[in-house]
Amino acid sequence: MSETPLRQRRGTLSRTADRQAPKGQQTKAAIVEAALGLATQIGLEGLSIGALAEVMQMSKSGVFAHFGSREELQISVVREYHTRFEDEVFYPAMSAARGLPRVRALFDNWMKRTSVEIDSGCIYISGAVEFDDRPGPVRDALASSVTTWQDAFKRAIEIAVEEGHFAPDTDASQVAFEIHGLILALHYEARFLRSPGCINRALKGFDAILERNGARPTPARKT
């Protein structure tokens, strides 16, 4: 059964529920929305109750009352970012056939989101830089979100092996690692070095990984 229509329906119901939720919940959701926008530009560490209060035209105490601490605010942003990542990347791919078609759909959706985040920034990547050596709840929330995604992608590859779409001896962990590496390299090349053609190189890299593991080449894409 396809999960995409169900997820879309859930999204519609969620937006309706947001409009019908008590005012306090609506305000909190609006603050998280604003905080997410700021975090993509200045990072999670750049978030402050004062900055959000100014953006929201609220008092600092009013913003603080919805979260209790800056740390709780940061974790709320991480969770919201993860929810949106799932909505845009994971769930739409569930309508693709099991195996290689789903792996390709997951990567294509990931690339679409990455293409946008080349301009806006990725909290998973910026957060890893900010919190890689800082133990605590925010790092735990970030790491948990990334691990959840990596596990889902790895499982899609394992299913592709089971379906006979990859060579029987394919190492799913290695394939997932290499594909994740393509996304990280794309962010670095595009956002930091401003290298032309890096999106096409990432696409070619993905096809090379598939072919090396016994999969058929991806049909030519429009770029």
Side-chain angles (χ1 to χ4, degrees), residues 31 40 47 71 78 95 97 107 124 145-146 159 192 203 215 222:
I31 295 172
T40 57
L47 289 179
E71 186 176 82
V78 171
S95 61
F107 182 75
Y124 286 162
S145 295
V146 174
I159 292 172
F192 181 54
L203 294 173
K222 295 180 179 180

Side-chain angles (χ1 to χ4, degrees), residues 31-187:
I31 295 172
V32 172
E33 174 84 20
L36 180 57
L38 282 176
T40 57
Q41 299 173 37
I42 61 177
L44 287 167
E45 271 298 271
L47 289 179
S48 69
I49 299 294
L52 275 176
E54 184 175 345
V55 170
M56 296 297 297
Q57 297 184 330
M58 296 173 60
S59 65
K60 290 183 182 180
S61 59
V63 173
F64 187 84
H66 289 282
F67 298 96
S69 69
R70 178 168 171 263
E71 186 176 82
E72 186 180 336
L73 169 64
Q74 291 170 323
I75 292 172
S76 295
V77 169
V78 171
R79 289 172 177 164
E80 178 64 19
Y81 181 85
H82 182 69
T83 295
R84 295 186 185 197
F85 187 94
E86 286 185 325
D87 287 345
E88 294 178 23
V89 178
F90 179 75
Y91 288 106
M94 293 301 100
S95 61
R98 285 167 55 90
L100 189 55
R102 188 169 294 174
V103 171
R104 285 181 169 142
L106 285 167
F107 182 75
D108 285 345
N109 292 346
W110 199 2
M111 280 294 294
K112 289 175 186 175
R113 183 176 176 94
T114 299
S115 297
V116 173
E117 290 183 333
I118 285 172
D119 294 322
S120 65
C122 172
I123 286 179
Y124 286 162
I125 293 176
S126 62
V129 173
E130 293 176 309
F131 292 91
D132 59 346
D133 58 355
R134 296 179 55 187
V138 179
R139 186 190 189 283
D140 292 345
L142 276 165
S144 176
S145 295
V146 174
T147 299
T148 296
W149 163 238
Q150 289 181 327
D151 288 346
F153 199 89
K154 177 187 172 185
R155 180 54 187 153
I157 296 167
E158 290 172 343
I159 292 172
V161 176
E162 294 167 4
E163 295 288 329
H165 297 163
F166 283 115
D169 61 348
T170 295
D171 184 339
S173 294
Q174 182 65 29
V175 173
F177 178 88
E178 292 179 17
I179 292 173
H180 190 201
L182 289 175
I183 298 294
L184 296 178
L186 175 57
H187 271 277

